[in-house]
Amino acid sequence: MSLGKKLIAIVVFLTLFGAPSALRGQAVPTFVGIRTFLGAPYVTKLDDLHADFAVLGVPFDEGTWGQPGERYGPRDLRESSQEYNHDLTEGFYYIDGDRTVLKGKHWADVGDVEVWPTVPALTNDKVTAAVRAILARKAFPIVLGGDHSITFPILRAFDIPLTVIHIDAHLDTWTGAPGNLDHASHILRAAALPQVKNIIQIGMRGLANDPEAVGNARKIHTTVFTSEEIHRSGVASVVGKIPPSENIYITLDVDVLDPSVAPGTGTLEPGGLSFFELHDLLMALPAKGKLVGFDVVEVNPYRDPSGRTAQTAVRLMIDLLGAAFH
Ligand code: MN
Ligand code: MN
């Protein structure tokens, strides 16, 4: 091996394995290293996947009716996740409660799906295939969007009965154009999947939920809890009305959060959930059934130079997983 190759090998080795891991919370400066989610090992071939959690990016925003830029969501979430980059098998420590969650869990970042600009059906097929491969390897899929249309091809990959818990300011049940799949109609499409047995929608509000969307939601028999109901009655009251089910899949549109908390998204709507309202909701939902997968969608870094949207989303992701796997 030449000296140059040896140096490259040493640098690669130190980048992958040499980071100090004694500190929890953050073990390396956030500006160091290659951007995988939480600094997890990058697994480029799904056949080689051996992990509890597999993080998949879907950099796709051709389904949006709002501001584009969600294609950079996976990149932004990975960047913000560096704040919590450490030896992930040590878990995550919370000062409140003096507790550690997710200890001993192995994470992998399996990169982004192959995206074919202007050929969304092909991209969607790649999403379904990637999630199927993750499930076949017995890993838990965590998908980073992308606009909300990506949830449909994810759900398509499951072959077990699912209750979909859809957290969003919007119902996403517009009729849309025949045969289309976009971020405002994907729930209507998902309802037609045989594995989707039940849909619970939480956080809807504002003027974008028109009679057409509400009418369609009623037709497919979703259960809706609005943001206003949470503000007035509290999270616990709403959680108490959610029936238990066998398997739950959670899809989290960050626009459910108030724009003051999460300005980095394409379709802003006032009156959203606070951090703690959403935190408490996500902490409570895993008691309703076995969490089998989730996605975080609609992060748009171009509307949030502060990065707080992605940072908040990453924190909530860890909160949810900690509640689900203990
Ligand atoms: Mn949505
Ligand atoms: Mn939305």
Side-chain angles (χ1 to χ4, degrees):
M1 198 187 271
S2 72
L3 183 61
K5 277 185 181 163
K6 271 181 193 162
L7 279 173
I8 289 167
I10 289 167
V11 167
V12 167
F13 181 84
L14 286 177
T15 304
L16 292 174
F17 306 110
S21 61
L23 298 173
R24 288 190 289 190
Q26 184 185 334
V28 289
T30 57
F31 47 85
V32 172
I34 294 161
R35 265 64 183 122
T36 64
F37 194 73
L38 297 167
Y42 181 30
V43 176
T44 53
K45 288 199 187 96
L46 283 169
D47 290 342
D48 298 337
L49 179 64
H50 296 280
D52 300 295
F53 303 127
V55 182
L56 172 73
V58 183
F60 176 85
D61 60 12
E62 294 173 58
T64 186
W65 284 71
Q67 294 263 344
E70 295 78 18
R71 66 182 60 184
Y72 295 100
R75 191 171 283 197
D76 195 33
L77 288 161
R78 287 189 175 104
E79 178 67 34
S80 291
S81 75
Q82 303 311 311
E83 197 72 41
Y84 308 130
N85 180 335
H86 66 292
D87 178 353
L88 299 175
T89 60
E90 292 180 3
F92 296 84
Y93 174 74
Y94 289 77
I95 183 170
D96 284 292
D98 187 25
R99 64 199 178 91
T100 299
V101 300
L102 303 174
K103 199 173 168 67
K105 296 292 185 189
H106 292 268
W107 294 66
D109 189 324
V110 298
D112 292 335
V113 293
E114 207 176 336
V115 165
W116 292 77
T118 77
V119 198
L122 192 50
T123 302
N124 288 335
D125 288 346
K126 299 285 181 189
V127 173
T128 304
V131 175
R132 273 201 188 121
I134 290 167
L135 293 171
R137 301 296 301 166
K138 307 282 183 220
F140 177 94
I142 299 166
V143 186
L144 314 176
D147 73 59
H148 215 156
S149 69
I150 70 159
T151 300
F152 176 82
I154 298 168
L155 293 173
R156 202 166 54 175
F158 285 86
D159 59 1
I160 52 173
L162 296 175
T163 288
V164 175
I165 300 184
H166 168 218
I167 305 172
D168 197 328
H170 309 98
L171 287 164
D172 293 353
T173 50
W174 272 351
T175 306
N180 82 321
L181 174 67
D182 63 54
H183 83 154
S185 63
H186 65 98
I187 288 291
L188 202 59
R189 309 284 175 260
L193 292 171
Q195 61 271 44
V196 174
K197 305 297 183 192
N198 196 12
I199 300 174
I200 293 166
Q201 304 188 275
I202 307 174
M204 288 70 214
R205 63 183 187 274
L207 306 179
N209 295 297
D210 58 15
E212 177 187 315
V214 173
N216 284 339
R218 285 180 185 146
K219 267 186 220 159
I220 59 172
H221 306 292
T222 71
T223 305
V224 179
F225 300 101
T226 65
S227 278
E228 188 167 328
E229 186 172 350
I230 291 175
H231 295 320
R232 299 208 190 280
S233 316
V235 172
S237 160
V238 164
V239 168
K241 293 175 188 164
I242 297 173
S245 40
E246 191 182 348
N247 304 306
I248 60 175
Y249 180 91
I250 295 179
T251 175
L252 173 60
D253 182 334
V254 292
D255 71 25
V256 76
L257 285 161
D258 192 74
S260 58
V261 182
T265 190
T267 42
L268 297 169
E269 187 66 50
L273 301 192
S274 70
F275 169 77
F276 268 110
E277 283 171 328
L278 184 52
H279 167 85
D280 289 353
L281 177 66
L282 292 172
M283 295 295 282
L285 289 176
K288 299 292 178 181
K290 184 187 177 200
L291 185 66
V292 294
F294 87 101
D295 63 62
V296 175
V297 296
E298 299 285 345
V299 172
N300 183 339
Y302 287 93
R303 305 199 87 188
D304 179 12
S306 79
R308 85 189 87 153
T309 307
Q311 193 66 53
T312 304
V314 170
R315 163 66 197 278
L316 289 166
M317 292 168 73
I318 294 163
D319 293 346
L320 171 65
L321 288 170
F325 298 93
H326 53 73

